[in-house]
Each structure stands twice: as structure tokens, then as C-alpha cells.
Amino acid sequence: MQNIYLGIILAPLMGALIAGLFGRKIGRSGAHWITIIGVATAFLLSLIVLRHHVLSGAAPYNGSIYTWMIVEGIRLEVGFLVDNLTAIMMATVTFVSLMVHIYTIGYMHDDDGYQRFFSYIALFTFAMLMLVMSNNFLQLFFGWEAVGLVSYLLIGFWYKRESAIFANMKAFLVNRVGDFGFLLGIAAVLMAFNSLDYADVFAAAPLMASMTVQIIPGADWSLMTVTCILLFIGAMGKSAQVPLHVWLPDSMEGPTPISALIHAATMVTAGIFMVARMSPLFELSPTALSVVLVIGSITALFMGFLGIVQNDIKRVIAYSTLSQLGYMTVALGVSAYSAAIFHLMTHAFFKALLFLGAGSVIIAMHHEQDIRKMGGLWKYMPITWVTFLLGTLALIGTPGFAGFYSKDSIIEAVHASQIPGAGFAYFAVMLGVFVTSLYSFRLYFLVFHGKERMDHHTQEHLHETPAVVTVPLILLAIPSVVIGAMTIEPLLFGEVFKGVIMVTPEHNVLEHLAEHFHGAMNFALHGLTGLPFILVLAGFGSAWYLYMARPDVPERIRQLAAPVYDILDNKYYFDQFYQRFFARGSCETGTVLWKYVDAGLIDGLLVNGTARWVGWVAAVTRHLQSGYLYHYAFAMIIGLLILLTWFVTR
């Protein structure tokens, strides 16, 4: 199997290198074929791995592939840990990536950077696979930074746009904050365990549960709590949790395929995967779990509110992604790691579908993204219309759809939890159901139904997008409908994650849920009578009334609640705060340091001051060098007299 694991990693890497280095020679078709073949190979091999580990129950593989160096007994290696969690992530990542690669042929057809784009997305696939397959913290960090690097390149892909450059720099800087915490967390692991290998760290973790450290002299802090919170700060950056969420909406400046690949299905879920992988550590710190729970709850609810006031089709879906990532984080906080991974998987399919559906609309609308200039598209784009509806129904948690099973499992798990903060979390995720339904159907109605608000020229040329765009939509719509019912029992209540994810008995909320689970069908039927479905219907009804029956009402509400609207429209003023106190504050601090320390002290006093002093001394002493012989003789006589006087008087 080791050769298969290597094949999964190397196939997309080879495609990326060939398309990137030899793109001009192999041409546009060569670039997309070589990368698609590479990712398709990785996907097919991932299915073999999925069958071998998940379906056949093979033991996990944990082995070193390459030893980079050994420093004082600490091994720095490249290695693979392939178990059921890894296998599910590999299959999800490679399938969504394959769909995005195929879709990109149509979306980027006329772009000058065609080969470069395919190289980047194949390279991203390689980096994400390195992250999820790692068996040590060093390789995890490599994959972590690599996906961040490729994300930076893709967000700023259209580098001639000032907004794209601003967005990718913003993503880079915000993620550096999270990654600094993540790196400190890895350093804490190395300090405490003297190893970076997962197996060694997880085995020794229970022995370290009571260990304390003094960050502030005289105050004892739990080592496990400090380590887990630092690691979670990294997850807050990658998985866009409040307050490190501000980069993700702006990342929509990149081409739509990367919104589906990176900012919906894969990179932003890296933090969720990491915390689930680190469950043996997080389970030993209830404080860290409460922090995770509260941060996730705030993100799930308050980012959903922002989706209601957005008018850019991609930004509405981006805020939906933030909210759903909050749901996954909430699941991690109540130790329902399996539910978090379950929602990660289902979300990857229907959110990629929604982003690619939005891209299909953008193509048809000649790259118009304002939903206020759309309407009535169902007549012109039937495939996009139907698949987008299926993705929307999955997102809001309609009973029977994939999103229902994973989202309702999280809500029930939170309801059963006793971890501090669970009460607020339950309120947040429950109200979030209504909010999700409201902004999702607001988007759906404004884009596909109602009055046609586009200009006459656009209306005349509206038609369904080519098959290279719509086929991936159909292939993503299928799992968006059925994957939840097919996998809920083995993933949540079976033994798929036994020995992979660790949950202490007092935190095992899914065990309580399992007592009331009687199959996927009964779960869906029960959902029809539950409060979440009532909230789904309330959101649907509100959206229909506000944007179909009475489209004049939203403007009245906006005027009546102008202060609230301004807060939402300005995204809670996070950007202004960061710009004023961090970005501008850093610039002002730099200006002061440059003026008084660099220019004043270092350059002025030390560097230029020394030069000026040497110049003054030279200016004085050069008068002694007159060139006249009698001047030098006179100086020698005076010097001799001084020496004789010193010897005589001594």
C-alpha cells in the first residue's frame, strides 16, 4: 500500500510541475489534461485506500518515508498516517478537486493565465494531501503552510487587479497571526514530549495531563490547555473563525473555481481536521474545549447574519461557509469530532456545488456578480437552477438531504453536552438554522426567480453554460442529496473512527445520540417534526415574503433598522478596527521607529555621526600636512623637546 500512498501524493505534484514549468510547450489543453490525469489518479487511488481501510477494516498504516535529519534524538521525517479519518479526507479532497479541475476548463477558457491556474490548483491538491496524510507535526506544518501559500497565489491570481492583491495580502497576514499560534503550539508539544511524532505524543498525553507551566512567573497554567489553545489559534486562522475570519470573504476576489476548492471544501477545513486529529490532546483540557465551543458558536451565528445583507453572489456563499465552519467547530467543542468530520464531508459537496453553480451564473451573466441585477434565470439555465436548488436544500438542512443529517447531528450533540458554554452554543446553532434558510433562499429567489433585472444585452444572450461546467454540477449534486443518509450510521454510530478519534466517557455526547438513533429514514422522519425544520420553513417563508411577495418591504426594514443594517453592512467593523489599530498602527509605529531610531539614532548618531566625526578630525589634522619641509622639522623639534622635558621631570 505504501506505493499507492506515494502515488496519491506524487500524481498531482507531477501534474502541477509539468503544467507550471512547461505550460507554454504543452499548451492549454496539455496543461489541463496533465493536471486532470494527475488528480484523477489520486482520486482513484484514494478510493482504493477508502475501500482498504474503511470498508475492509484494514489496520492503520503509520510509517516513515524519508528521514530529513535527527537532532538530539528528535527525528524530523516525512511519513504517512493513513487510517479511516485520513481515507475519508483523501477521498473528499481528491473528488472535489477533480470536479473543480474539469469545471475550470469552461470557467477559465479565455483567461491568459490558463496553464498557471491549473498548475496552482494541482499544487494545492498535493499540499492538502500532504497535510491530511502526515504522521508528524513537522509534515503537518509543511502542508499547513503550503496550502496557505497556494491560497495566496490563487486569491491574487488576477494580480493586475488592486482588489485581488489587497485580498491575498490580507489573507496572508491574517493567517500569519494564526500560524504563529500554531507554531507555538507545536513548539509546546516538542518541549513537553520531546517528539513530533503523533503516535509518541498521543501515547504520552495522559501522563502529561496534570503538568503545568509558568508563562507568567508565579502563575501555573495547564500545559495541555495552553498547547491546545495555541494549536486552535492556528485552526482559527485556517478555518476562518472569529476574530481571524476577515480574510475569507475578501478571498472571493480570486476565480470562482478556487472558491469551491479552497474556501469551501478543503483548505478552510484543515483546521477542523487538525483539531479532530488532535482529539487525544483536546480531550484532556475541558477549558480548551469550551474555548473552541464558544468561538465556533459566535462564528456560526454572527457570520450568518452578515450573509443576509450581502449582494455579491459569491460573498453570500462565503459567509455561509464561515457559518458552517462555525457549526463544525461547535461540534469539536462538544467532543462530537465524528459529527464535525461528517459535516465537513457533506459540506464539501454541497458548498462546492453552490460555488460552482454561482460560477455558472457569473459566466452566463457576463461576469456580473450583483444579485440585484439578476432574476428569472431558471428559464435560461435549467440545469444550474435545479442543481443550485439541491445544494441550497442540503445547506439549510432539509430532512433527507446530506446537510440535514450532519447539521442536525451537531445540534443534537450540543443539546446533550454539559461542557461550559453549551447553552449559548445551542441557542446559536438553533437560531443559525433560521438565518441560514433566510439568506440561502434570499439568494435563490433573487437569482433564479422574480423579475428579470439584468440589462437588455445580457438578457438576449442568456443561456445554459457548456457541459464542461454543468456536468461537475450534476456530479456534485448527487452526493449533496444522498451521502448523508448513506454514511450517518457508520460515521457517527459505527466503529469507523474507533481508535482514531478519542473521546472520554464524560464527553461522549454521540453515545447518548446513538441510543435514540433508529436508522437514516427514521432520523429524517423525526426531523420533520423537530424545531430545526420549523425554523427552516420559517426562513423559507420569510425569504419568499420579503423578496417575492413584497419586495418593497426589505428597503423599509433597512430604513427602520438603519443602525443595525450599518453594523451588518460594515461587518461588525472588524476591518476598520484591524486597519486602524493594527495595519495603520503598525505603519505609524514603524514611522516613529524609522524617524527616531533608524534615521535618528542608528543612521544619524552611529553611522552618519561616526562618518561626520571622522570627517571633522580629518579636516583638522589635514592642516598639519602642509608639504613644507621646515614645518615638519619644526614639528620634530617640538616633539623632541616635549619628550626630553617628560624624561627630565619624571
Side-chain angles (χ1 to χ4, degrees):
M1 291 296 291
Q2 182 174 312
N3 290 334
I4 292 179
Y5 304 145
L6 284 171
I8 293 172
I9 287 285
L10 295 177
L13 176 61
M14 293 304 297
L17 292 175
I18 294 172
L21 297 176
F22 307 105
R24 291 184 179 180
K25 292 184 178 180
I26 63 177
R28 297 164 75 89
S29 61
H32 71 235
W33 274 114
I34 194 67
T35 52
I36 287 174
I37 290 171
V39 174
T41 301
F43 171 60
L44 293 175
L45 293 177
S46 295
L47 292 182
I48 295 174
V49 172
L50 187 71
R51 180 180 181 277
H52 180 70
H53 287 281
V54 178
L55 301 181
S56 301
Y61 172 86
N62 185 9
S64 173
I65 303 301
Y66 172 73
T67 300
W68 181 34
M69 66 174 68
I70 301 175
V71 182
E72 295 185 356
I74 300 169
R75 302 181 68 87
L76 305 180
E77 299 176 328
V78 176
F80 297 148
L81 171 59
V82 183
D83 51 23
N84 290 350
L85 175 59
T86 311
I88 290 170
M89 287 295 297
M90 289 161 61
T92 303
V93 168
T94 52
F95 175 72
V96 173
S97 178
L98 179 59
M99 294 300 102
V100 169
H101 275 71
I102 297 171
Y103 176 94
T104 299
I105 297 174
Y107 192 89
M108 302 293 288
H109 183 266
D110 298 321
D111 198 279
D112 293 336
Y114 191 82
Q115 294 97 313
R116 179 165 57 95
F117 189 84
F118 273 97
S119 175
Y120 285 171
I121 58 177
L123 183 62
F124 171 82
T125 306
F126 157 75
M128 191 66 191
L129 289 170
M130 284 290 283
L131 189 156
V132 301
M133 294 175 69
S134 63
N135 73 342
N136 63 83
F137 284 91
L138 178 67
Q139 185 176 330
L140 173 70
F141 189 70
F142 166 79
W144 195 270
E145 293 302 304
V147 294
L149 169 64
V150 183
S151 174
Y152 168 83
L153 295 173
L154 285 166
I155 294 170
F157 181 79
W158 288 319
Y159 54 85
K160 294 183 180 179
R161 295 184 184 178
E162 186 176 346
S163 58
I165 297 303
F166 176 83
N168 76 346
M169 184 57 70
K170 184 176 182 179
F172 183 83
L173 293 175
V174 172
N175 273 277
R176 294 294 68 72
V177 176
D179 291 353
F180 180 64
F182 188 56
L183 191 58
L184 289 177
I186 295 175
V189 169
L190 181 60
M191 177 194 73
F193 298 94
N194 201 39
S195 176
L196 292 174
D197 187 81
Y198 290 165
D200 295 340
V201 172
F202 296 161
L207 303 176
M208 300 288 186
S210 59
M211 181 177 286
T212 59
V213 292
Q214 288 192 358
I215 300 175
I216 301 173
D220 289 333
W221 295 53
S222 166
L223 171 67
M224 205 58 65
T225 297
V226 171
T227 302
C228 289
I229 290 177
L230 287 172
L231 291 173
F232 180 64
I233 290 173
M236 288 168 63
K238 275 291 181 288
S239 293
Q241 297 297 289
V242 172
L244 301 181
H245 66 284
V246 293
W247 66 271
L248 192 142
D250 287 344
S251 71
M252 298 301 110
E253 289 294 333
T256 299
I258 69 143
S259 300
L261 178 62
I262 294 180
H263 306 123
T266 49
M267 190 191 88
V268 291
T269 61
I272 308 300
F273 165 79
M274 184 272 292
V275 175
R277 175 63 81 194
M278 301 301 148
S279 61
L281 304 182
F282 278 84
E283 282 300 289
L284 300 175
S285 176
T287 302
L289 288 175
S290 286
V291 170
V292 173
L293 178 61
V294 172
I295 293 294
S297 305
I298 293 171
T299 306
L301 180 59
F302 289 95
M303 293 302 104
F305 284 141
L306 296 184
I308 299 173
V309 300
Q310 298 299 312
N311 294 311
D312 184 302
I313 186 171
K314 287 172 63 177
R315 285 180 180 263
V316 176
I317 304 173
Y319 280 107
S320 169
T321 299
L322 283 169
S323 181
Q324 297 308 306
L325 288 167
Y327 274 86
M328 299 176 209
T329 305
V330 165
L332 297 172
V334 297
S335 297
Y337 305 99
S338 301
I341 297 300
F342 184 32
H343 195 49
L344 183 159
M345 180 190 68
T346 61
H347 176 266
F349 296 121
F350 63 72
K351 187 54 63 67
L353 169 61
L354 289 172
F355 266 118
L356 296 186
S360 179
V361 170
I362 292 169
I363 293 171
M365 292 291 298
H366 303 290
H367 293 276
E368 175 61 64
Q369 296 183 198
D370 192 334
I371 59 177
R372 293 169 297 184
K373 299 179 181 179
M374 300 180 188
L377 294 185
W378 71 274
K379 294 179 292 186
Y380 307 98
M381 309 179 69
I383 298 176
T384 303
W385 168 56
V386 171
T387 53
F388 201 94
L389 175 61
L390 294 176
T392 300
L393 293 174
L395 170 62
I396 66 173
T398 307
F401 285 75
F404 159 76
Y405 289 101
S406 54
K407 186 187 287 186
D408 268 41
S409 298
I410 293 173
I411 294 172
E412 293 297 329
V414 174
H415 187 55
S417 177
Q418 300 298 318
I419 291 177
F424 168 69
Y426 184 67
F427 167 78
V429 295
M430 193 64 81
L431 182 56
V433 172
F434 169 79
V435 174
T436 302
S437 181
L438 175 58
Y439 68 65
S440 296
F441 273 104
R442 170 182 177 265
L443 174 65
Y444 182 74
F445 287 141
L446 288 178
V447 171
F448 293 101
H449 294 276
K451 181 182 177 182
E452 298 177 7
R453 298 176 297 278
M454 69 285 294
D455 60 72
H456 183 68
H457 174 74
T458 302
Q459 188 176 9
E460 282 186 339
H461 294 84
L462 274 174
H463 58 82
E464 185 61 89
T465 45
V468 74
V469 173
T470 56
V471 168
L473 297 182
I474 296 169
L475 294 177
L476 284 166
I478 295 170
S480 297
V481 177
V482 304
I483 197 70
M486 291 172 58
T487 58
I488 180 173
E489 188 163 2
L491 291 186
L492 294 193
F493 312 117
E495 297 190 351
V496 169
F497 294 126
K498 184 178 180 180
V500 178
I501 291 174
M502 193 198 88
V503 182
T504 56
E506 62 270 22
H507 294 160
N508 198 348
V509 290
L510 291 179
E511 186 178 38
H512 171 77
L513 200 62
E515 296 173 0
H516 304 280
F517 180 79
H518 303 289
M521 180 62 71
N522 286 329
F523 194 81
L525 293 174
H526 176 72
L528 292 171
T529 61
L531 179 58
F533 184 57
I534 295 173
L535 293 172
V536 164
L537 293 177
F540 167 81
S542 300
W544 178 83
Y545 178 77
L546 292 172
Y547 299 101
M548 295 296 293
R550 293 291 304 276
D552 58 306
V553 173
E555 180 59 28
R556 292 187 192 177
I557 295 174
R558 189 186 71 81
Q559 293 175 358
L560 290 173
V564 176
Y565 178 84
D566 288 341
I567 291 172
L568 296 178
D569 190 46
N570 286 283
K571 298 167 282 188
Y572 307 118
Y573 297 98
F574 272 104
D575 286 334
Q576 291 88 332
F577 176 78
Y578 288 153
Q579 187 171 354
R580 178 66 186 89
F581 291 99
F582 289 97
R584 191 181 302 170
S586 298
C587 291
E588 290 174 354
T589 302
T591 300
V592 171
L593 292 174
W594 168 78
K595 185 175 181 180
Y596 294 103
V597 178
D598 187 30
L601 177 62
I602 298 175
D603 286 345
L605 184 60
L606 298 179
V607 180
N608 295 333
T610 302
R612 281 194 295 268
W613 181 80
V614 171
W616 177 80
V617 171
V620 173
T621 57
R622 69 189 176 94
H623 293 295
L624 300 176
Q625 303 296 326
S626 64
Y628 293 107
L629 185 61
Y630 62 86
H631 282 172
Y632 299 141
F634 179 75
M636 292 172 65
I637 293 169
I638 295 298
L640 182 61
L641 288 173
I642 292 172
L643 287 173
L644 288 172
T645 303
W646 182 74
F647 278 114
V648 170
T649 58
R650 185 177 176 187

